[in-house]
Amino acid sequence: MNNSVTNTARLLGAGLRALLVLTLVTGVLYPLVVTGIAQGLFPGKANGSEIEADGRVVGSSLIGQAYNLPLKEGQETPAPDLKWFQGRPQNGLGTNSVNTRHQLILSGATNRSGDDEELVQWVRDAKAAVVKDNSTDTYKVKPSQVPPDAVTSSGSGLDPDISPQYADLQVHRVAERNGLSTAQVRKLVEEHTEGRTLGFIGEPRVNVLELNIALKELTAKS
C-alpha cells in the first residue's frame, strides 16, 4: 500500500515537473524568442504593417478601407466619396453588429456560386456604378474597360489592393474631383504600383490606402 502511494506521488511529481518545464519552454521562452526575432528582423510586419499619415497610424497595409460619404437620412448604404480612389467591393459576411462603435466589415467570402442570381446582379450593378462614377465630361468609361476586381470582392472581403487597370480607370475622375491633371494622378498610380512578388508570385497591384495618402499630400501642395 505504501509503495503504491509512493509510486503515485512520484508519478504526479514527475508529471507536474514536466508540465512546468513544457509551460516554461513552449509558453514563455519560445514565444519570447519568436517575438524577438520578428521584432528584430521584421518590425513593421510584426506590429501589424501599420501605415502612418500626419503623425498617426491610419490603417494597415493588409486591410482595405472604405472611402464613403456620411450616411444621409433614409440611406441604407453610404455613397462612395469619389474624390478618393476606391477599393474593391466589400461584400464579405456582412457588417459588424457586435462592436457598433466602429464601422467594420466581417472578413469572409460570400460563398456564392458563379451563376448565383443575386451575385450576378451584384456584379451587374457594380459594373454600372463603376462606369457611371468614373465617367467625366471629357472621359467616358466603357463597360469593357471595367476589370474583375472593380466588381467583385476578394475571398476575405478586406483586400487592400486593386489592379493597376482599376486604378488607371479612376484617374480621370480623381483628377477632376481634386483639381489635378490626369498626368499628376497617373504618375501617383505608377509610383504606387507594385510588381509581382519575387517577380512571379501574384499579380501587379496598387495599395489603395497608400495611394490615397499620397493623393492627399499632392492636393495639399497644389
mmCIF file with all atom_site columns, all heavy atoms in Angstrom, residues 43-53 56-62 209-210 213:
data_model
loop_
_atom_site.group_PDB
_atom_site.id
_atom_site.type_symbol
_atom_site.label_atom_id
_atom_site.label_alt_id
_atom_site.label_comp_id
_atom_site.label_asym_id
_atom_site.label_entity_id
_atom_site.label_seq_id
_atom_site.pdbx_PDB_ins_code
_atom_site.Cartn_x
_atom_site.Cartn_y
_atom_site.Cartn_z
_atom_site.occupancy
_atom_site.B_iso_or_equiv
_atom_site.pdbx_formal_charge
_atom_site.auth_seq_id
_atom_site.auth_comp_id
_atom_site.auth_asym_id
_atom_site.auth_atom_id
_atom_site.pdbx_PDB_model_num
ATOM 1   N N   . PRO A 1 43  ? 10.132 44.272 -37.978 1.00 0.00 ? 43  PRO A N   1
ATOM 2   C CA  . PRO A 1 43  ? 9.335  45.038 -37.003 1.00 0.00 ? 43  PRO A CA  1
ATOM 3   C C   . PRO A 1 43  ? 8.014  45.561 -37.569 1.00 0.00 ? 43  PRO A C   1
ATOM 4   O O   . PRO A 1 43  ? 7.004  45.578 -36.878 1.00 0.00 ? 43  PRO A O   1
ATOM 5   C CB  . PRO A 1 43  ? 10.267 46.188 -36.601 1.00 0.00 ? 43  PRO A CB  1
ATOM 6   C CG  . PRO A 1 43  ? 11.249 46.302 -37.736 1.00 0.00 ? 43  PRO A CG  1
ATOM 7   C CD  . PRO A 1 43  ? 11.430 44.905 -38.237 1.00 0.00 ? 43  PRO A CD  1
ATOM 8   N N   . GLY A 1 44  ? 8.034  45.986 -38.824 1.00 0.00 ? 44  GLY A N   1
ATOM 9   C CA  . GLY A 1 44  ? 6.812  46.516 -39.418 1.00 0.00 ? 44  GLY A CA  1
ATOM 10  C C   . GLY A 1 44  ? 5.720  45.471 -39.508 1.00 0.00 ? 44  GLY A C   1
ATOM 11  O O   . GLY A 1 44  ? 4.575  45.697 -39.086 1.00 0.00 ? 44  GLY A O   1
ATOM 12  N N   . LYS A 1 45  ? 6.059  44.295 -40.018 1.00 0.00 ? 45  LYS A N   1
ATOM 13  C CA  . LYS A 1 45  ? 5.078  43.229 -40.146 1.00 0.00 ? 45  LYS A CA  1
ATOM 14  C C   . LYS A 1 45  ? 4.653  42.697 -38.784 1.00 0.00 ? 45  LYS A C   1
ATOM 15  O O   . LYS A 1 45  ? 3.493  42.346 -38.566 1.00 0.00 ? 45  LYS A O   1
ATOM 16  C CB  . LYS A 1 45  ? 5.652  42.106 -41.013 1.00 0.00 ? 45  LYS A CB  1
ATOM 17  C CG  . LYS A 1 45  ? 5.862  42.501 -42.464 1.00 0.00 ? 45  LYS A CG  1
ATOM 18  C CD  . LYS A 1 45  ? 6.382  41.334 -43.292 1.00 0.00 ? 45  LYS A CD  1
ATOM 19  C CE  . LYS A 1 45  ? 6.543  41.747 -44.752 1.00 0.00 ? 45  LYS A CE  1
ATOM 20  N NZ  . LYS A 1 45  ? 7.064  40.631 -45.590 1.00 0.00 ? 45  LYS A NZ  1
ATOM 21  N N   . ALA A 1 46  ? 5.619  42.626 -37.853 1.00 0.00 ? 46  ALA A N   1
ATOM 22  C CA  . ALA A 1 46  ? 5.309  42.104 -36.527 1.00 0.00 ? 46  ALA A CA  1
ATOM 23  C C   . ALA A 1 46  ? 4.313  42.989 -35.792 1.00 0.00 ? 46  ALA A C   1
ATOM 24  O O   . ALA A 1 46  ? 3.538  42.512 -34.951 1.00 0.00 ? 46  ALA A O   1
ATOM 25  C CB  . ALA A 1 46  ? 6.588  41.972 -35.705 1.00 0.00 ? 46  ALA A CB  1
ATOM 26  N N   . ASN A 1 47  ? 4.303  44.265 -36.106 1.00 0.00 ? 47  ASN A N   1
ATOM 27  C CA  . ASN A 1 47  ? 3.415  45.213 -35.427 1.00 0.00 ? 47  ASN A CA  1
ATOM 28  C C   . ASN A 1 47  ? 2.156  45.530 -36.215 1.00 0.00 ? 47  ASN A C   1
ATOM 29  O O   . ASN A 1 47  ? 1.463  46.506 -35.934 1.00 0.00 ? 47  ASN A O   1
ATOM 30  C CB  . ASN A 1 47  ? 4.175  46.505 -35.120 1.00 0.00 ? 47  ASN A CB  1
ATOM 31  C CG  . ASN A 1 47  ? 5.262  46.292 -34.089 1.00 0.00 ? 47  ASN A CG  1
ATOM 32  O OD1 . ASN A 1 47  ? 5.066  45.581 -33.115 1.00 0.00 ? 47  ASN A OD1 1
ATOM 33  N ND2 . ASN A 1 47  ? 6.423  46.883 -34.305 1.00 0.00 ? 47  ASN A ND2 1
ATOM 34  N N   . GLY A 1 48  ? 1.846  44.702 -37.226 1.00 0.00 ? 48  GLY A N   1
ATOM 35  C CA  . GLY A 1 48  ? 0.584  44.869 -37.939 1.00 0.00 ? 48  GLY A CA  1
ATOM 36  C C   . GLY A 1 48  ? 0.661  45.602 -39.245 1.00 0.00 ? 48  GLY A C   1
ATOM 37  O O   . GLY A 1 48  ? -0.364 45.994 -39.790 1.00 0.00 ? 48  GLY A O   1
ATOM 38  N N   . SER A 1 49  ? 1.867  45.809 -39.777 1.00 0.00 ? 49  SER A N   1
ATOM 39  C CA  . SER A 1 49  ? 2.029  46.507 -41.055 1.00 0.00 ? 49  SER A CA  1
ATOM 40  C C   . SER A 1 49  ? 1.292  47.848 -41.052 1.00 0.00 ? 49  SER A C   1
ATOM 41  O O   . SER A 1 49  ? 0.527  48.169 -41.962 1.00 0.00 ? 49  SER A O   1
ATOM 42  C CB  . SER A 1 49  ? 1.525  45.626 -42.208 1.00 0.00 ? 49  SER A CB  1
ATOM 43  O OG  . SER A 1 49  ? 2.239  44.414 -42.265 1.00 0.00 ? 49  SER A OG  1
ATOM 44  N N   . GLU A 1 50  ? 1.530  48.614 -39.985 1.00 0.00 ? 50  GLU A N   1
ATOM 45  C CA  . GLU A 1 50  ? 0.827  49.884 -39.816 1.00 0.00 ? 50  GLU A CA  1
ATOM 46  C C   . GLU A 1 50  ? 1.276  50.928 -40.840 1.00 0.00 ? 50  GLU A C   1
ATOM 47  O O   . GLU A 1 50  ? 2.434  50.959 -41.244 1.00 0.00 ? 50  GLU A O   1
ATOM 48  C CB  . GLU A 1 50  ? 1.069  50.428 -38.405 1.00 0.00 ? 50  GLU A CB  1
ATOM 49  C CG  . GLU A 1 50  ? 0.505  49.552 -37.303 1.00 0.00 ? 50  GLU A CG  1
ATOM 50  C CD  . GLU A 1 50  ? 0.882  50.046 -35.922 1.00 0.00 ? 50  GLU A CD  1
ATOM 51  O OE1 . GLU A 1 50  ? 1.865  50.804 -35.814 1.00 0.00 ? 50  GLU A OE1 1
ATOM 52  O OE2 . GLU A 1 50  ? 0.195  49.663 -34.956 1.00 0.00 ? 50  GLU A OE2 1
ATOM 53  N N   . ILE A 1 51  ? 0.333  51.764 -41.241 1.00 0.00 ? 51  ILE A N   1
ATOM 54  C CA  . ILE A 1 51  ? 0.620  52.881 -42.136 1.00 0.00 ? 51  ILE A CA  1
ATOM 55  C C   . ILE A 1 51  ? 0.336  54.170 -41.375 1.00 0.00 ? 51  ILE A C   1
ATOM 56  O O   . ILE A 1 51  ? -0.729 54.310 -40.759 1.00 0.00 ? 51  ILE A O   1
ATOM 57  C CB  . ILE A 1 51  ? -0.235 52.814 -43.408 1.00 0.00 ? 51  ILE A CB  1
ATOM 58  C CG1 . ILE A 1 51  ? 0.141  51.576 -44.233 1.00 0.00 ? 51  ILE A CG1 1
ATOM 59  C CG2 . ILE A 1 51  ? -0.061 54.074 -44.249 1.00 0.00 ? 51  ILE A CG2 1
ATOM 60  C CD1 . ILE A 1 51  ? -0.660 51.423 -45.506 1.00 0.00 ? 51  ILE A CD1 1
ATOM 61  N N   . GLU A 1 52  ? 1.281  55.093 -41.406 1.00 0.00 ? 52  GLU A N   1
ATOM 62  C CA  . GLU A 1 52  ? 1.124  56.359 -40.707 1.00 0.00 ? 52  GLU A CA  1
ATOM 63  C C   . GLU A 1 52  ? 0.934  57.516 -41.690 1.00 0.00 ? 52  GLU A C   1
ATOM 64  O O   . GLU A 1 52  ? 1.460  57.489 -42.799 1.00 0.00 ? 52  GLU A O   1
ATOM 65  C CB  . GLU A 1 52  ? 2.344  56.640 -39.818 1.00 0.00 ? 52  GLU A CB  1
ATOM 66  C CG  . GLU A 1 52  ? 2.494  55.669 -38.655 1.00 0.00 ? 52  GLU A CG  1
ATOM 67  C CD  . GLU A 1 52  ? 3.615  56.062 -37.712 1.00 0.00 ? 52  GLU A CD  1
ATOM 68  O OE1 . GLU A 1 52  ? 4.235  57.127 -37.944 1.00 0.00 ? 52  GLU A OE1 1
ATOM 69  O OE2 . GLU A 1 52  ? 3.885  55.309 -36.759 1.00 0.00 ? 52  GLU A OE2 1
ATOM 70  N N   . ALA A 1 53  ? 0.180  58.493 -41.244 1.00 0.00 ? 53  ALA A N   1
ATOM 71  C CA  . ALA A 1 53  ? -0.001 59.732 -42.011 1.00 0.00 ? 53  ALA A CA  1
ATOM 72  C C   . ALA A 1 53  ? -0.327 60.836 -41.021 1.00 0.00 ? 53  ALA A C   1
ATOM 73  O O   . ALA A 1 53  ? -1.062 60.607 -40.048 1.00 0.00 ? 53  ALA A O   1
ATOM 74  C CB  . ALA A 1 53  ? -1.122 59.583 -43.035 1.00 0.00 ? 53  ALA A CB  1
ATOM 75  N N   . ARG A 1 56  ? 0.214  59.963 -37.268 1.00 0.00 ? 56  ARG A N   1
ATOM 76  C CA  . ARG A 1 56  ? -0.564 58.962 -36.537 1.00 0.00 ? 56  ARG A CA  1
ATOM 77  C C   . ARG A 1 56  ? -0.851 57.759 -37.421 1.00 0.00 ? 56  ARG A C   1
ATOM 78  O O   . ARG A 1 56  ? -0.779 57.850 -38.658 1.00 0.00 ? 56  ARG A O   1
ATOM 79  C CB  . ARG A 1 56  ? -1.883 59.557 -36.032 1.00 0.00 ? 56  ARG A CB  1
ATOM 80  C CG  . ARG A 1 56  ? -2.817 60.025 -37.140 1.00 0.00 ? 56  ARG A CG  1
ATOM 81  C CD  . ARG A 1 56  ? -4.004 60.793 -36.586 1.00 0.00 ? 56  ARG A CD  1
ATOM 82  N NE  . ARG A 1 56  ? -4.910 61.235 -37.637 1.00 0.00 ? 56  ARG A NE  1
ATOM 83  C CZ  . ARG A 1 56  ? -5.940 60.534 -38.077 1.00 0.00 ? 56  ARG A CZ  1
ATOM 84  N NH1 . ARG A 1 56  ? -6.216 59.345 -37.549 1.00 0.00 ? 56  ARG A NH1 1
ATOM 85  N NH2 . ARG A 1 56  ? -6.717 61.010 -39.039 1.00 0.00 ? 56  ARG A NH2 1
ATOM 86  N N   . VAL A 1 57  ? -1.167 56.639 -36.795 1.00 0.00 ? 57  VAL A N   1
ATOM 87  C CA  . VAL A 1 57  ? -1.489 55.429 -37.539 1.00 0.00 ? 57  VAL A CA  1
ATOM 88  C C   . VAL A 1 57  ? -2.889 55.552 -38.126 1.00 0.00 ? 57  VAL A C   1
ATOM 89  O O   . VAL A 1 57  ? -3.853 55.850 -37.405 1.00 0.00 ? 57  VAL A O   1
ATOM 90  C CB  . VAL A 1 57  ? -1.415 54.179 -36.624 1.00 0.00 ? 57  VAL A CB  1
ATOM 91  C CG1 . VAL A 1 57  ? -1.864 52.935 -37.381 1.00 0.00 ? 57  VAL A CG1 1
ATOM 92  C CG2 . VAL A 1 57  ? 0.002  53.993 -36.095 1.00 0.00 ? 57  VAL A CG2 1
ATOM 93  N N   . VAL A 1 58  ? -3.009 55.346 -39.428 1.00 0.00 ? 58  VAL A N   1
ATOM 94  C CA  . VAL A 1 58  ? -4.310 55.497 -40.093 1.00 0.00 ? 58  VAL A CA  1
ATOM 95  C C   . VAL A 1 58  ? -4.841 54.176 -40.651 1.00 0.00 ? 58  VAL A C   1
ATOM 96  O O   . VAL A 1 58  ? -5.941 54.132 -41.183 1.00 0.00 ? 58  VAL A O   1
ATOM 97  C CB  . VAL A 1 58  ? -4.217 56.536 -41.237 1.00 0.00 ? 58  VAL A CB  1
ATOM 98  C CG1 . VAL A 1 58  ? -3.917 57.908 -40.670 1.00 0.00 ? 58  VAL A CG1 1
ATOM 99  C CG2 . VAL A 1 58  ? -3.162 56.132 -42.267 1.00 0.00 ? 58  VAL A CG2 1
ATOM 100 N N   . GLY A 1 59  ? -4.059 53.112 -40.523 1.00 0.00 ? 59  GLY A N   1
ATOM 101 C CA  . GLY A 1 59  ? -4.527 51.833 -41.021 1.00 0.00 ? 59  GLY A CA  1
ATOM 102 C C   . GLY A 1 59  ? -3.392 50.840 -41.181 1.00 0.00 ? 59  GLY A C   1
ATOM 103 O O   . GLY A 1 59  ? -2.264 51.088 -40.742 1.00 0.00 ? 59  GLY A O   1
ATOM 104 N N   . SER A 1 60  ? -3.723 49.734 -41.803 1.00 0.00 ? 60  SER A N   1
ATOM 105 C CA  . SER A 1 60  ? -2.747 48.686 -42.075 1.00 0.00 ? 60  SER A CA  1
ATOM 106 C C   . SER A 1 60  ? -2.678 48.451 -43.578 1.00 0.00 ? 60  SER A C   1
ATOM 107 O O   . SER A 1 60  ? -3.691 48.550 -44.282 1.00 0.00 ? 60  SER A O   1
ATOM 108 C CB  . SER A 1 60  ? -3.154 47.374 -41.382 1.00 0.00 ? 60  SER A CB  1
ATOM 109 O OG  . SER A 1 60  ? -2.370 46.281 -41.852 1.00 0.00 ? 60  SER A OG  1
ATOM 110 N N   . SER A 1 61  ? -1.478 48.145 -44.056 1.00 0.00 ? 61  SER A N   1
ATOM 111 C CA  . SER A 1 61  ? -1.322 47.872 -45.489 1.00 0.00 ? 61  SER A CA  1
ATOM 112 C C   . SER A 1 61  ? -1.962 46.547 -45.876 1.00 0.00 ? 61  SER A C   1
ATOM 113 O O   . SER A 1 61  ? -2.047 46.221 -47.057 1.00 0.00 ? 61  SER A O   1
ATOM 114 C CB  . SER A 1 61  ? 0.163  47.853 -45.857 1.00 0.00 ? 61  SER A CB  1
ATOM 115 O OG  . SER A 1 61  ? 0.835  46.801 -45.180 1.00 0.00 ? 61  SER A OG  1
ATOM 116 N N   . LEU A 1 62  ? -2.429 45.779 -44.891 1.00 0.00 ? 62  LEU A N   1
ATOM 117 C CA  . LEU A 1 62  ? -3.004 44.455 -45.152 1.00 0.00 ? 62  LEU A CA  1
ATOM 118 C C   . LEU A 1 62  ? -4.525 44.451 -45.159 1.00 0.00 ? 62  LEU A C   1
ATOM 119 O O   . LEU A 1 62  ? -5.131 43.450 -45.508 1.00 0.00 ? 62  LEU A O   1
ATOM 120 C CB  . LEU A 1 62  ? -2.514 43.453 -44.097 1.00 0.00 ? 62  LEU A CB  1
ATOM 121 C CG  . LEU A 1 62  ? -1.002 43.293 -43.954 1.00 0.00 ? 62  LEU A CG  1
ATOM 122 C CD1 . LEU A 1 62  ? -0.683 42.337 -42.822 1.00 0.00 ? 62  LEU A CD1 1
ATOM 123 C CD2 . LEU A 1 62  ? -0.395 42.808 -45.256 1.00 0.00 ? 62  LEU A CD2 1
ATOM 124 N N   . LEU A 1 209 ? -4.900 52.476 -49.753 1.00 0.00 ? 209 LEU A N   1
ATOM 125 C CA  . LEU A 1 209 ? -4.649 53.396 -48.641 1.00 0.00 ? 209 LEU A CA  1
ATOM 126 C C   . LEU A 1 209 ? -3.389 54.215 -48.883 1.00 0.00 ? 209 LEU A C   1
ATOM 127 O O   . LEU A 1 209 ? -3.391 55.441 -48.716 1.00 0.00 ? 209 LEU A O   1
ATOM 128 C CB  . LEU A 1 209 ? -4.530 52.610 -47.334 1.00 0.00 ? 209 LEU A CB  1
ATOM 129 C CG  . LEU A 1 209 ? -4.140 53.414 -46.082 1.00 0.00 ? 209 LEU A CG  1
ATOM 130 C CD1 . LEU A 1 209 ? -5.113 54.567 -45.845 1.00 0.00 ? 209 LEU A CD1 1
ATOM 131 C CD2 . LEU A 1 209 ? -4.074 52.507 -44.856 1.00 0.00 ? 209 LEU A CD2 1
ATOM 132 N N   . GLU A 1 210 ? -2.329 53.559 -49.281 1.00 0.00 ? 210 GLU A N   1
ATOM 133 C CA  . GLU A 1 210 ? -1.077 54.279 -49.541 1.00 0.00 ? 210 GLU A CA  1
ATOM 134 C C   . GLU A 1 210 ? -1.245 55.268 -50.700 1.00 0.00 ? 210 GLU A C   1
ATOM 135 O O   . GLU A 1 210 ? -0.709 56.379 -50.660 1.00 0.00 ? 210 GLU A O   1
ATOM 136 C CB  . GLU A 1 210 ? 0.036  53.274 -49.842 1.00 0.00 ? 210 GLU A CB  1
ATOM 137 C CG  . GLU A 1 210 ? 0.402  52.407 -48.644 1.00 0.00 ? 210 GLU A CG  1
ATOM 138 C CD  . GLU A 1 210 ? 1.454  51.366 -48.965 1.00 0.00 ? 210 GLU A CD  1
ATOM 139 O OE1 . GLU A 1 210 ? 1.738  51.177 -50.173 1.00 0.00 ? 210 GLU A OE1 1
ATOM 140 O OE2 . GLU A 1 210 ? 1.977  50.740 -48.036 1.00 0.00 ? 210 GLU A OE2 1
ATOM 141 N N   . ILE A 1 213 ? -3.211 58.314 -49.453 1.00 0.00 ? 213 ILE A N   1
ATOM 142 C CA  . ILE A 1 213 ? -2.376 59.175 -48.608 1.00 0.00 ? 213 ILE A CA  1
ATOM 143 C C   . ILE A 1 213 ? -1.505 60.071 -49.489 1.00 0.00 ? 213 ILE A C   1
ATOM 144 O O   . ILE A 1 213 ? -1.369 61.278 -49.247 1.00 0.00 ? 213 ILE A O   1
ATOM 145 C CB  . ILE A 1 213 ? -1.501 58.329 -47.665 1.00 0.00 ? 213 ILE A CB  1
ATOM 146 C CG1 . ILE A 1 213 ? -2.371 57.659 -46.593 1.00 0.00 ? 213 ILE A CG1 1
ATOM 147 C CG2 . ILE A 1 213 ? -0.428 59.193 -47.001 1.00 0.00 ? 213 ILE A CG2 1
ATOM 148 C CD1 . ILE A 1 213 ? -1.625 56.684 -45.713 1.00 0.00 ? 213 ILE A CD1 1
#
